[in-house]
Amino acid sequence: MAEKYDFMKIEEKWQKRWEESNLYKVTEDPTKKKRYILEMFPYPSGELHMGHMRNYVIGDVVARYNKMRGYNILHPMGYDAFGLPAENAAIQHGIHPKEWTYQNISTMRKQLRCQGISYDWDREITTCEPDYYKWGQWLFLKFMERGLVYREKASVNWCPGCETVLANEQVVGGRCWRCDNLVESKELEQWFFKITEYSEDLLKDLDLLTGWPERVKIMQTNWIGRSEGALVDFPLKDSGEKIPIFTTRPDTLFGVSFFILAPEHPLVDKLVVGTKYRKEVEAFRRMVSTKTEIDRTAPEIEKQGLFIGKYVINPLNGEDVPVWIADYVLMEYGTGAIMAVPAHDQRDFEFARRYNLPIKVVIQLEDEPLDEKTMTQAYEGEGVMVNSGPFTGMPSTEGTKAVTTYLEEKGIGKFAVTYRLRDWLISRQRYWGNPIPIIYCDKCGIVPVPEEDLPVILPENVDFRRKGISPLVAVEEFVNTACPKCFGPARRETDTMDTFTCSSWYFLRYTSPHEDKASFDTEAANYWMPVDQYIGGIEHAVMHLLYARFFTKAMYDMGLCKAKEPFSNLLTQGMVVKDGAKMSKSKGNVVSCDEIVNKYGADTGRLFILFAAPPEKDLDWSDQGVQGCFRFLNRVWRVVHENIESWTHGTGEARELDELDKELKYMTHRTVKKVTQDVERFSFNTAIAAIMELVNTNFKYNESKNRAARNGEVLRETTEKLVLLLSPFAPHIAEELWEKMRGKKSIYLQAWPSYDEELAKAPEITLVVQVNGKVRDRIKVPADITEDEMREVALSSEKVKKYTEGKEIVKVITVPGKLVNLVVQETRVASS
Ligand code: ANZ
Ligand code: ZN
């Protein structure tokens, strides 16, 4: 009797050996082809559960498989360690964020080790370590030198829950992405990264990302929001001033019936100063300033505005156009001013109806002509231009170009592109983040911290419970410093950087994590980058992935790396669901990693996660499913031991292959082929199903023959290939079995098994075809033919057709792999 599958002992043994032998340590080797496999690094939030683990297990299969295919593999791990949750948890539990973070990291590290994931731990990164965040500060300064950083007073998103400002990407449906509080609007002086400098590149280069899910590319495209149109100058009446507007529909210029400035538009003050409108305008502005962008633009909310007593002139027809201010025109988009065309823009239409402003149709339809008086909504589509002077009669699509050209010729407008993407606001009024390396001096103004003074160390002795303003404000030894330029007294910036800055370049740091002269070593980065396979959640489709792309492009332009895009291929894994909800601590439905490791072993948990659903799909947790995987690994254990016994104690003499030998050999090669193809396309569940089938065939083989009758060579080949195929999924058991069979060298260092195309083809069998019980044909077909295919083959046989022609086939009986019987009868004469 074989020894029992003692997963606990086996897993501990191998984790220790792998670590002691530095099995997963990797170095740059230009003579070898590389693959960089990366899972999004975790936020150190505490214990990992099986929902988290899915991400890492998928990555591990990809890494191990590619290693066996001969690639030099970079597969690192680290922690996105700064951020609000640490600070909030620390406030709640009365411990320091640093302590909380490091405790969690140590738990998570242990858990990841217990899963046997093939990380090179020498490359571990913790973003709250000074030797990491120093280089984030360094990049801030480099970006600043290139004009990619600026400080500006702007109306920003303020989360009253998190008591900090947020980037636009962090506001989802008007609420904070993290705590779901309604976001308010505040005027504050803040630091920005000029991501808009890369709007066009970020959009255009999505085309290079053929290995990204279409869905993510669409989300980024929409977020960047490119619009083509025209900038048109509207002269202010009785003044030399011209106000530019942005429109996507220059073809509607003859339909302008009013003109709107954003309430924050800098001209507004000048236009109303000393007029009777001033007071009302000021009140209106105050009212609007408390509203968020969502409140101002949501279609269901009534738009509000105010006439301000001035007129502009329509540059095409010379008409006077009244000037209003309105909440739905935003200062941040286009030029902050619009020409309103109520007949063809729904927002303008609603505004016109509310304030009784004229509506003028200039795009007409032939079938159902629009009528200003009766229309109930704007017509925003294409049509024929009417009431449009020289352009009347032109299709509107053509008109867009024709009007733009005309404007350009007259010097009153030009073709223009705008983007919805805004600059990235990175200041955070919180403690647990990377200090912004800036000093304010009364004499010298804003002074960057000199490179040699980096890092600006985040002080530890801080009352981080202060809220609303950065807790660092109260730390005098931090705040008070000397100006690097004039050496006079100066103050440090007390805001910290958005933690998304830390995760925007960590993948580059992994390529040379100990580099101490720059953020990373360019040569190492050029060897490893881009990441060949990135794996993570869909929730990062816009924020993290857009920011990381921006950083990479900026660094490319600075000559720091040769990769234009950071991630060639992206896999967004589905959620792990239990009892109908996403597995999460707050839902109370987590299955802890430790529980699975102790009860069944890590290999069983890994196998279940990979077997229960394709990686992109949600996965339903099932205890029976886990038990099934456990039983399967026990079967593997037994069959491999039995096989080893067979070839060591069998007769060992060479002999011809019989039918059973041939079937096992065929199944072996077929399985290698199938698993290879499946793993290549991340279809891990079907790959595992194929391995299970091979194990079944192996059992049947052993049951049909006693040890002496089994073919040792066939069994040996099957066993080796089986264990190699299993190793990326269940590495511990595979390693143990491999050692039993082959001894010293780790299975991780073996080549992926090969298959023989000929042997992987199903052997042929003879299919007997009968008509009404009489044999009419014998046809050679592949052994794995399906019943549908059998029917088809039988019906298309010429010999058979002779007996079925002109007759009705009333029944087809099939015996899988053997026989088809067609029951026919004379066709009845149509009874009419
Ligand atoms: C006149 C017009 C006529 C417009 C028409 C549309 C239809 P997208 O596609 O999102 O780029 N717009 C321009 N700047 C704005 C601002 N700061 N706040 C609010 N709305 C603004 O939208 C561009 C259109 O949005 C522009 O084209 C402008 O209205 C409006 F039949 O100009 B349009
Ligand atoms: Zn919040």
Side-chain angles (χ1 to χ4, degrees), residues 225 227 245-249 252 328-341 344-345 347-348 379-380 418:
S227 288
I245 59 102
F246 172 73
T247 177
T248 47
R249 296 293 302 267
T252 63
Y328 73 98
V329 175
L330 305 171
M331 194 57 225
E332 289 79 29
Y333 190 70
T335 64
I338 69 159
M339 62 180 213
V341 184
H344 304 293
D345 180 296
R347 296 159 299 180
D348 299 346
Y379 172 70
E380 298 189 333
T418 62

PDB file of all heavy atoms in Angstrom, residues 225 227 245-249 252 328-341 344-345 347-348 379-380 418, ligand 1:
ATOM      1  N   GLY A 225     -11.993  60.820 -23.599  1.00  0.00           N
ATOM      2  CA  GLY A 225     -13.069  61.609 -24.193  1.00  0.00           C
ATOM      3  C   GLY A 225     -12.636  62.634 -25.221  1.00  0.00           C
ATOM      4  O   GLY A 225     -12.763  63.832 -25.015  1.00  0.00           O
ATOM      5  N   SER A 227     -12.956  64.887 -28.428  1.00  0.00           N
ATOM      6  CA  SER A 227     -13.990  65.456 -29.306  1.00  0.00           C
ATOM      7  C   SER A 227     -13.351  66.347 -30.356  1.00  0.00           C
ATOM      8  O   SER A 227     -12.530  67.192 -30.028  1.00  0.00           O
ATOM      9  CB  SER A 227     -14.955  66.337 -28.517  1.00  0.00           C
ATOM     10  OG  SER A 227     -15.786  65.574 -27.705  1.00  0.00           O
ATOM     11  N   ILE A 245     -15.306  79.992 -28.156  1.00  0.00           N
ATOM     12  CA  ILE A 245     -16.108  78.861 -27.668  1.00  0.00           C
ATOM     13  C   ILE A 245     -15.617  77.603 -28.360  1.00  0.00           C
ATOM     14  O   ILE A 245     -14.981  77.660 -29.412  1.00  0.00           O
ATOM     15  CB  ILE A 245     -17.618  79.037 -27.971  1.00  0.00           C
ATOM     16  CG1 ILE A 245     -17.861  79.175 -29.489  1.00  0.00           C
ATOM     17  CG2 ILE A 245     -18.202  80.244 -27.243  1.00  0.00           C
ATOM     18  CD1 ILE A 245     -18.369  77.942 -30.150  1.00  0.00           C
ATOM     19  N   PHE A 246     -15.922  76.444 -27.756  1.00  0.00           N
ATOM     20  CA  PHE A 246     -15.650  75.180 -28.432  1.00  0.00           C
ATOM     21  C   PHE A 246     -16.973  74.529 -28.775  1.00  0.00           C
ATOM     22  O   PHE A 246     -17.875  74.439 -27.946  1.00  0.00           O
ATOM     23  CB  PHE A 246     -14.837  74.229 -27.547  1.00  0.00           C
ATOM     24  CG  PHE A 246     -14.706  72.853 -28.148  1.00  0.00           C
ATOM     25  CD1 PHE A 246     -13.877  72.651 -29.243  1.00  0.00           C
ATOM     26  CD2 PHE A 246     -15.448  71.781 -27.658  1.00  0.00           C
ATOM     27  CE1 PHE A 246     -13.775  71.399 -29.839  1.00  0.00           C
ATOM     28  CE2 PHE A 246     -15.356  70.520 -28.253  1.00  0.00           C
ATOM     29  CZ  PHE A 246     -14.511  70.327 -29.337  1.00  0.00           C
ATOM     30  N   THR A 247     -17.095  74.109 -30.037  1.00  0.00           N
ATOM     31  CA  THR A 247     -18.302  73.390 -30.439  1.00  0.00           C
ATOM     32  C   THR A 247     -17.947  72.180 -31.283  1.00  0.00           C
ATOM     33  O   THR A 247     -16.979  72.205 -32.042  1.00  0.00           O
ATOM     34  CB  THR A 247     -19.266  74.291 -31.233  1.00  0.00           C
ATOM     35  OG1 THR A 247     -20.392  73.498 -31.653  1.00  0.00           O
ATOM     36  CG2 THR A 247     -18.613  74.904 -32.459  1.00  0.00           C
ATOM     37  N   THR A 248     -18.731  71.113 -31.109  1.00  0.00           N
ATOM     38  CA  THR A 248     -18.548  69.950 -31.969  1.00  0.00           C
ATOM     39  C   THR A 248     -19.433  70.067 -33.208  1.00  0.00           C
ATOM     40  O   THR A 248     -19.376  69.235 -34.091  1.00  0.00           O
ATOM     41  CB  THR A 248     -18.940  68.654 -31.223  1.00  0.00           C
ATOM     42  OG1 THR A 248     -20.198  68.859 -30.578  1.00  0.00           O
ATOM     43  CG2 THR A 248     -17.902  68.302 -30.182  1.00  0.00           C
ATOM     44  N   ARG A 249     -20.280  71.115 -33.244  1.00  0.00           N
ATOM     45  CA  ARG A 249     -21.216  71.246 -34.354  1.00  0.00           C
ATOM     46  C   ARG A 249     -21.159  72.636 -35.001  1.00  0.00           C
ATOM     47  O   ARG A 249     -22.136  73.400 -34.947  1.00  0.00           O
ATOM     48  CB  ARG A 249     -22.651  70.979 -33.856  1.00  0.00           C
ATOM     49  CG  ARG A 249     -22.909  69.570 -33.348  1.00  0.00           C
ATOM     50  CD  ARG A 249     -22.832  68.521 -34.434  1.00  0.00           C
ATOM     51  NE  ARG A 249     -23.769  68.765 -35.526  1.00  0.00           N
ATOM     52  CZ  ARG A 249     -24.995  68.248 -35.592  1.00  0.00           C
ATOM     53  NH1 ARG A 249     -25.457  67.479 -34.627  1.00  0.00           N
ATOM     54  NH2 ARG A 249     -25.773  68.501 -36.630  1.00  0.00           N
ATOM     55  N   THR A 252     -24.045  74.109 -37.015  1.00  0.00           N
ATOM     56  CA  THR A 252     -25.276  74.677 -36.449  1.00  0.00           C
ATOM     57  C   THR A 252     -25.126  76.161 -36.096  1.00  0.00           C
ATOM     58  O   THR A 252     -25.976  76.727 -35.400  1.00  0.00           O
ATOM     59  CB  THR A 252     -25.702  73.917 -35.171  1.00  0.00           C
ATOM     60  OG1 THR A 252     -24.681  74.083 -34.172  1.00  0.00           O
ATOM     61  CG2 THR A 252     -25.910  72.439 -35.427  1.00  0.00           C
ATOM     62  N   TYR A 328     -24.778  74.561 -16.122  1.00  0.00           N
ATOM     63  CA  TYR A 328     -24.363  73.378 -16.888  1.00  0.00           C
ATOM     64  C   TYR A 328     -23.172  73.623 -17.803  1.00  0.00           C
ATOM     65  O   TYR A 328     -22.674  72.698 -18.444  1.00  0.00           O
ATOM     66  CB  TYR A 328     -25.545  72.772 -17.652  1.00  0.00           C
ATOM     67  CG  TYR A 328     -26.039  73.535 -18.869  1.00  0.00           C
ATOM     68  CD1 TYR A 328     -25.630  73.167 -20.157  1.00  0.00           C
ATOM     69  CD2 TYR A 328     -26.931  74.578 -18.741  1.00  0.00           C
ATOM     70  CE1 TYR A 328     -26.101  73.843 -21.271  1.00  0.00           C
ATOM     71  CE2 TYR A 328     -27.409  75.258 -19.856  1.00  0.00           C
ATOM     72  CZ  TYR A 328     -26.984  74.892 -21.121  1.00  0.00           C
ATOM     73  OH  TYR A 328     -27.454  75.561 -22.228  1.00  0.00           O
ATOM     74  N   VAL A 329     -22.696  74.845 -17.861  1.00  0.00           N
ATOM     75  CA  VAL A 329     -21.460  75.093 -18.615  1.00  0.00           C
ATOM     76  C   VAL A 329     -20.302  75.114 -17.616  1.00  0.00           C
ATOM     77  O   VAL A 329     -20.329  75.841 -16.626  1.00  0.00           O
ATOM     78  CB  VAL A 329     -21.539  76.407 -19.404  1.00  0.00           C
ATOM     79  CG1 VAL A 329     -20.219  76.706 -20.088  1.00  0.00           C
ATOM     80  CG2 VAL A 329     -22.660  76.303 -20.434  1.00  0.00           C
ATOM     81  N   LEU A 330     -19.325  74.234 -17.880  1.00  0.00           N
ATOM     82  CA  LEU A 330     -18.231  74.032 -16.936  1.00  0.00           C
ATOM     83  C   LEU A 330     -16.987  74.783 -17.383  1.00  0.00           C
ATOM     84  O   LEU A 330     -16.658  74.800 -18.575  1.00  0.00           O
ATOM     85  CB  LEU A 330     -17.902  72.539 -16.842  1.00  0.00           C
ATOM     86  CG  LEU A 330     -19.089  71.642 -16.483  1.00  0.00           C
ATOM     87  CD1 LEU A 330     -18.692  70.184 -16.645  1.00  0.00           C
ATOM     88  CD2 LEU A 330     -19.563  71.916 -15.069  1.00  0.00           C
ATOM     89  N   MET A 331     -16.305  75.355 -16.421  1.00  0.00           N
ATOM     90  CA  MET A 331     -15.079  76.082 -16.751  1.00  0.00           C
ATOM     91  C   MET A 331     -13.976  75.146 -17.235  1.00  0.00           C
ATOM     92  O   MET A 331     -13.117  75.518 -18.016  1.00  0.00           O
ATOM     93  CB  MET A 331     -14.598  76.854 -15.504  1.00  0.00           C
ATOM     94  CG  MET A 331     -13.546  77.905 -15.806  1.00  0.00           C
ATOM     95  SD  MET A 331     -14.148  79.095 -17.049  1.00  0.00           S
ATOM     96  CE  MET A 331     -12.728  79.213 -18.115  1.00  0.00           C
ATOM     97  N   GLU A 332     -14.034  73.872 -16.765  1.00  0.00           N
ATOM     98  CA  GLU A 332     -12.917  72.963 -17.037  1.00  0.00           C
ATOM     99  C   GLU A 332     -12.962  72.343 -18.424  1.00  0.00           C
ATOM    100  O   GLU A 332     -12.035  71.653 -18.815  1.00  0.00           O
ATOM    101  CB  GLU A 332     -12.896  71.819 -16.016  1.00  0.00           C
ATOM    102  CG  GLU A 332     -12.486  72.224 -14.619  1.00  0.00           C
ATOM    103  CD  GLU A 332     -13.620  72.889 -13.846  1.00  0.00           C
ATOM    104  OE1 GLU A 332     -14.785  72.567 -14.119  1.00  0.00           O
ATOM    105  OE2 GLU A 332     -13.329  73.751 -13.002  1.00  0.00           O
ATOM    106  N   TYR A 333     -14.054  72.503 -19.133  1.00  0.00           N
ATOM    107  CA  TYR A 333     -14.145  71.831 -20.430  1.00  0.00           C
ATOM    108  C   TYR A 333     -14.105  72.841 -21.563  1.00  0.00           C
ATOM    109  O   TYR A 333     -14.680  73.938 -21.443  1.00  0.00           O
ATOM    110  CB  TYR A 333     -15.427  71.000 -20.513  1.00  0.00           C
ATOM    111  CG  TYR A 333     -15.451  70.095 -21.719  1.00  0.00           C
ATOM    112  CD1 TYR A 333     -14.603  68.990 -21.785  1.00  0.00           C
ATOM    113  CD2 TYR A 333     -16.266  70.370 -22.813  1.00  0.00           C
ATOM    114  CE1 TYR A 333     -14.586  68.166 -22.900  1.00  0.00           C
ATOM    115  CE2 TYR A 333     -16.262  69.545 -23.933  1.00  0.00           C
ATOM    116  CZ  TYR A 333     -15.415  68.447 -23.981  1.00  0.00           C
ATOM    117  OH  TYR A 333     -15.394  67.648 -25.074  1.00  0.00           O
ATOM    118  N   GLY A 334     -13.455  72.483 -22.647  1.00  0.00           N
ATOM    119  CA  GLY A 334     -13.384  73.381 -23.806  1.00  0.00           C
ATOM    120  C   GLY A 334     -12.799  74.718 -23.398  1.00  0.00           C
ATOM    121  O   GLY A 334     -11.702  74.779 -22.829  1.00  0.00           O
ATOM    122  N   THR A 335     -13.539  75.807 -23.644  1.00  0.00           N
ATOM    123  CA  THR A 335     -13.052  77.137 -23.255  1.00  0.00           C
ATOM    124  C   THR A 335     -13.852  77.713 -22.102  1.00  0.00           C
ATOM    125  O   THR A 335     -13.642  78.864 -21.718  1.00  0.00           O
ATOM    126  CB  THR A 335     -13.175  78.113 -24.443  1.00  0.00           C
ATOM    127  OG1 THR A 335     -14.574  78.247 -24.752  1.00  0.00           O
ATOM    128  CG2 THR A 335     -12.441  77.604 -25.677  1.00  0.00           C
ATOM    129  N   GLY A 336     -14.838  76.959 -21.597  1.00  0.00           N
ATOM    130  CA  GLY A 336     -15.672  77.479 -20.519  1.00  0.00           C
ATOM    131  C   GLY A 336     -16.759  78.414 -21.031  1.00  0.00           C
ATOM    132  O   GLY A 336     -17.375  79.142 -20.254  1.00  0.00           O
ATOM    133  N   ALA A 337     -16.972  78.409 -22.351  1.00  0.00           N
ATOM    134  CA  ALA A 337     -18.032  79.235 -22.941  1.00  0.00           C
ATOM    135  C   ALA A 337     -18.651  78.450 -24.086  1.00  0.00           C
ATOM    136  O   ALA A 337     -17.962  77.679 -24.739  1.00  0.00           O
ATOM    137  CB  ALA A 337     -17.449  80.541 -23.473  1.00  0.00           C
ATOM    138  N   ILE A 338     -19.953  78.621 -24.304  1.00  0.00           N
ATOM    139  CA  ILE A 338     -20.587  77.909 -25.414  1.00  0.00           C
ATOM    140  C   ILE A 338     -21.505  78.832 -26.224  1.00  0.00           C
ATOM    141  O   ILE A 338     -22.006  79.839 -25.724  1.00  0.00           O
ATOM    142  CB  ILE A 338     -21.415  76.690 -24.945  1.00  0.00           C
ATOM    143  CG1 ILE A 338     -22.670  77.123 -24.167  1.00  0.00           C
ATOM    144  CG2 ILE A 338     -20.584  75.735 -24.122  1.00  0.00           C
ATOM    145  CD1 ILE A 338     -23.746  76.051 -24.137  1.00  0.00           C
ATOM    146  N   MET A 339     -21.676  78.425 -27.478  1.00  0.00           N
ATOM    147  CA  MET A 339     -22.752  79.008 -28.271  1.00  0.00           C
ATOM    148  C   MET A 339     -23.919  78.036 -28.082  1.00  0.00           C
ATOM    149  O   MET A 339     -23.749  76.828 -28.178  1.00  0.00           O
ATOM    150  CB  MET A 339     -22.340  79.089 -29.749  1.00  0.00           C
ATOM    151  CG  MET A 339     -22.066  77.747 -30.419  1.00  0.00           C
ATOM    152  SD  MET A 339     -21.602  77.955 -32.159  1.00  0.00           S
ATOM    153  CE  MET A 339     -22.301  76.481 -32.905  1.00  0.00           C
ATOM    154  N   ALA A 340     -25.078  78.542 -27.738  1.00  0.00           N
ATOM    155  CA  ALA A 340     -26.192  77.651 -27.470  1.00  0.00           C
ATOM    156  C   ALA A 340     -27.072  77.528 -28.708  1.00  0.00           C
ATOM    157  O   ALA A 340     -27.463  78.525 -29.307  1.00  0.00           O
ATOM    158  CB  ALA A 340     -27.005  78.169 -26.293  1.00  0.00           C
ATOM    159  N   VAL A 341     -27.359  76.259 -29.062  1.00  0.00           N
ATOM    160  CA  VAL A 341     -28.182  75.969 -30.233  1.00  0.00           C
ATOM    161  C   VAL A 341     -29.329  75.076 -29.766  1.00  0.00           C
ATOM    162  O   VAL A 341     -29.249  73.860 -29.872  1.00  0.00           O
ATOM    163  CB  VAL A 341     -27.350  75.265 -31.326  1.00  0.00           C
ATOM    164  CG1 VAL A 341     -28.192  75.058 -32.585  1.00  0.00           C
ATOM    165  CG2 VAL A 341     -26.082  76.044 -31.641  1.00  0.00           C
ATOM    166  N   HIS A 344     -30.812  71.948 -31.527  1.00  0.00           N
ATOM    167  CA  HIS A 344     -29.986  70.772 -31.827  1.00  0.00           C
ATOM    168  C   HIS A 344     -29.089  70.323 -30.681  1.00  0.00           C
ATOM    169  O   HIS A 344     -28.165  69.547 -30.867  1.00  0.00           O
ATOM    170  CB  HIS A 344     -29.179  71.044 -33.100  1.00  0.00           C
ATOM    171  CG  HIS A 344     -30.060  71.417 -34.251  1.00  0.00           C
ATOM    172  ND1 HIS A 344     -30.945  70.528 -34.812  1.00  0.00           N
ATOM    173  CD2 HIS A 344     -30.259  72.610 -34.880  1.00  0.00           C
ATOM    174  CE1 HIS A 344     -31.638  71.142 -35.771  1.00  0.00           C
ATOM    175  NE2 HIS A 344     -31.246  72.413 -35.829  1.00  0.00           N
ATOM    176  N   ASP A 345     -29.324  70.846 -29.509  1.00  0.00           N
ATOM    177  CA  ASP A 345     -28.587  70.391 -28.336  1.00  0.00           C
ATOM    178  C   ASP A 345     -29.586  70.296 -27.190  1.00  0.00           C
ATOM    179  O   ASP A 345     -30.247  71.288 -26.848  1.00  0.00           O
ATOM    180  CB  ASP A 345     -27.456  71.379 -28.001  1.00  0.00           C
ATOM    181  CG  ASP A 345     -26.654  70.934 -26.782  1.00  0.00           C
ATOM    182  OD1 ASP A 345     -27.220  70.879 -25.669  1.00  0.00           O
ATOM    183  OD2 ASP A 345     -25.458  70.625 -26.958  1.00  0.00           O
ATOM    184  N   ARG A 347     -29.458  70.005 -23.929  1.00  0.00           N
ATOM    185  CA  ARG A 347     -29.301  70.845 -22.725  1.00  0.00           C
ATOM    186  C   ARG A 347     -29.736  72.279 -23.029  1.00  0.00           C
ATOM    187  O   ARG A 347     -30.449  72.920 -22.252  1.00  0.00           O
ATOM    188  CB  ARG A 347     -27.844  70.826 -22.269  1.00  0.00           C
ATOM    189  CG  ARG A 347     -27.373  69.441 -21.827  1.00  0.00           C
ATOM    190  CD  ARG A 347     -25.866  69.330 -21.885  1.00  0.00           C
ATOM    191  NE  ARG A 347     -25.330  69.533 -23.238  1.00  0.00           N
ATOM    192  CZ  ARG A 347     -24.054  69.481 -23.557  1.00  0.00           C
ATOM    193  NH1 ARG A 347     -23.155  69.267 -22.626  1.00  0.00           N
ATOM    194  NH2 ARG A 347     -23.666  69.653 -24.808  1.00  0.00           N
ATOM    195  N   ASP A 348     -29.302  72.748 -24.205  1.00  0.00           N
ATOM    196  CA  ASP A 348     -29.683  74.100 -24.603  1.00  0.00           C
ATOM    197  C   ASP A 348     -31.199  74.188 -24.808  1.00  0.00           C
ATOM    198  O   ASP A 348     -31.829  75.198 -24.501  1.00  0.00           O
ATOM    199  CB  ASP A 348     -28.977  74.493 -25.909  1.00  0.00           C
ATOM    200  CG  ASP A 348     -27.459  74.492 -25.766  1.00  0.00           C
ATOM    201  OD1 ASP A 348     -26.974  74.458 -24.619  1.00  0.00           O
ATOM    202  OD2 ASP A 348     -26.771  74.511 -26.811  1.00  0.00           O
ATOM    203  N   TYR A 379     -33.201  68.018 -31.780  1.00  0.00           N
ATOM    204  CA  TYR A 379     -32.794  67.006 -32.743  1.00  0.00           C
ATOM    205  C   TYR A 379     -31.275  67.097 -32.893  1.00  0.00           C
ATOM    206  O   TYR A 379     -30.745  68.069 -33.421  1.00  0.00           O
ATOM    207  CB  TYR A 379     -33.487  67.203 -34.097  1.00  0.00           C
ATOM    208  CG  TYR A 379     -32.914  66.258 -35.136  1.00  0.00           C
ATOM    209  CD1 TYR A 379     -33.176  64.882 -35.040  1.00  0.00           C
ATOM    210  CD2 TYR A 379     -32.068  66.704 -36.142  1.00  0.00           C
ATOM    211  CE1 TYR A 379     -32.613  63.995 -35.937  1.00  0.00           C
ATOM    212  CE2 TYR A 379     -31.498  65.825 -37.048  1.00  0.00           C
ATOM    213  CZ  TYR A 379     -31.765  64.471 -36.933  1.00  0.00           C
ATOM    214  OH  TYR A 379     -31.192  63.591 -37.803  1.00  0.00           O
ATOM    215  N   GLU A 380     -30.579  66.066 -32.415  1.00  0.00           N
ATOM    216  CA  GLU A 380     -29.118  66.158 -32.367  1.00  0.00           C
ATOM    217  C   GLU A 380     -28.427  65.441 -33.527  1.00  0.00           C
ATOM    218  O   GLU A 380     -27.194  65.433 -33.608  1.00  0.00           O
ATOM    219  CB  GLU A 380     -28.599  65.618 -31.018  1.00  0.00           C
ATOM    220  CG  GLU A 380     -29.131  66.438 -29.833  1.00  0.00           C
ATOM    221  CD  GLU A 380     -28.490  66.099 -28.487  1.00  0.00           C
ATOM    222  OE1 GLU A 380     -28.033  64.951 -28.314  1.00  0.00           O
ATOM    223  OE2 GLU A 380     -28.438  66.992 -27.619  1.00  0.00           O
ATOM    224  N   THR A 418     -10.724  68.666 -28.312  1.00  0.00           N
ATOM    225  CA  THR A 418     -10.656  68.790 -26.851  1.00  0.00           C
ATOM    226  C   THR A 418     -10.790  67.409 -26.232  1.00  0.00           C
ATOM    227  O   THR A 418     -11.231  66.463 -26.876  1.00  0.00           O
ATOM    228  CB  THR A 418     -11.780  69.657 -26.254  1.00  0.00           C
ATOM    229  OG1 THR A 418     -13.015  69.026 -26.556  1.00  0.00           O
ATOM    230  CG2 THR A 418     -11.763  71.058 -26.787  1.00  0.00           C
TER     231      THR A 418
HETATM  232  C1  ANZ B   1     -22.888  74.088 -30.085  1.00  0.00           C
HETATM  233  C2  ANZ B   1     -23.649  72.862 -30.305  1.00  0.00           C
HETATM  234  C3  ANZ B   1     -24.706  72.646 -31.150  1.00  0.00           C
HETATM  235  C4  ANZ B   1     -23.159  71.827 -29.536  1.00  0.00           C
HETATM  236  C5  ANZ B   1     -25.258  71.387 -31.215  1.00  0.00           C
HETATM  237  C6  ANZ B   1     -23.669  70.565 -29.562  1.00  0.00           C
HETATM  238  C7  ANZ B   1     -24.749  70.372 -30.415  1.00  0.00           C
HETATM  239  P1  ANZ B   1     -18.632  66.850 -26.327  1.00  0.00           P
HETATM  240  O1  ANZ B   1     -19.196  65.995 -27.406  1.00  0.00           O
HETATM  241  O2  ANZ B   1     -18.825  66.291 -24.950  1.00  0.00           O
HETATM  242  O3  ANZ B   1     -17.224  67.278 -26.581  1.00  0.00           O
HETATM  243  N1  ANZ B   1     -19.824  72.432 -24.578  1.00  0.00           N
HETATM  244  C8  ANZ B   1     -18.638  72.944 -24.952  1.00  0.00           C
HETATM  245  N2  ANZ B   1     -17.954  73.390 -23.885  1.00  0.00           N
HETATM  246  C9  ANZ B   1     -18.734  73.164 -22.823  1.00  0.00           C
HETATM  247  C10 ANZ B   1     -18.591  73.412 -21.428  1.00  0.00           C
HETATM  248  N3  ANZ B   1     -17.493  74.013 -20.961  1.00  0.00           N
HETATM  249  N4  ANZ B   1     -19.574  73.044 -20.590  1.00  0.00           N
HETATM  250  C11 ANZ B   1     -20.692  72.465 -21.088  1.00  0.00           C
HETATM  251  N5  ANZ B   1     -20.888  72.208 -22.378  1.00  0.00           N
HETATM  252  C12 ANZ B   1     -19.927  72.556 -23.242  1.00  0.00           C
HETATM  253  O4  ANZ B   1     -19.534  68.181 -26.274  1.00  0.00           O
HETATM  254  C13 ANZ B   1     -19.154  69.355 -26.946  1.00  0.00           C
HETATM  255  C14 ANZ B   1     -20.343  70.234 -26.929  1.00  0.00           C
HETATM  256  O5  ANZ B   1     -20.662  70.511 -25.562  1.00  0.00           O
HETATM  257  C15 ANZ B   1     -20.075  71.529 -27.609  1.00  0.00           C
HETATM  258  O6  ANZ B   1     -20.735  71.608 -28.880  1.00  0.00           O
HETATM  259  C16 ANZ B   1     -20.887  72.508 -26.757  1.00  0.00           C
HETATM  260  O7  ANZ B   1     -22.165  72.503 -27.323  1.00  0.00           O
HETATM  261  C17 ANZ B   1     -20.890  71.892 -25.410  1.00  0.00           C
HETATM  262  F1  ANZ B   1     -26.268  71.194 -32.039  1.00  0.00           F
HETATM  263  O8  ANZ B   1     -21.755  73.696 -29.344  1.00  0.00           O
HETATM  264  B1  ANZ B   1     -21.957  72.336 -28.753  1.00  0.00           B
END
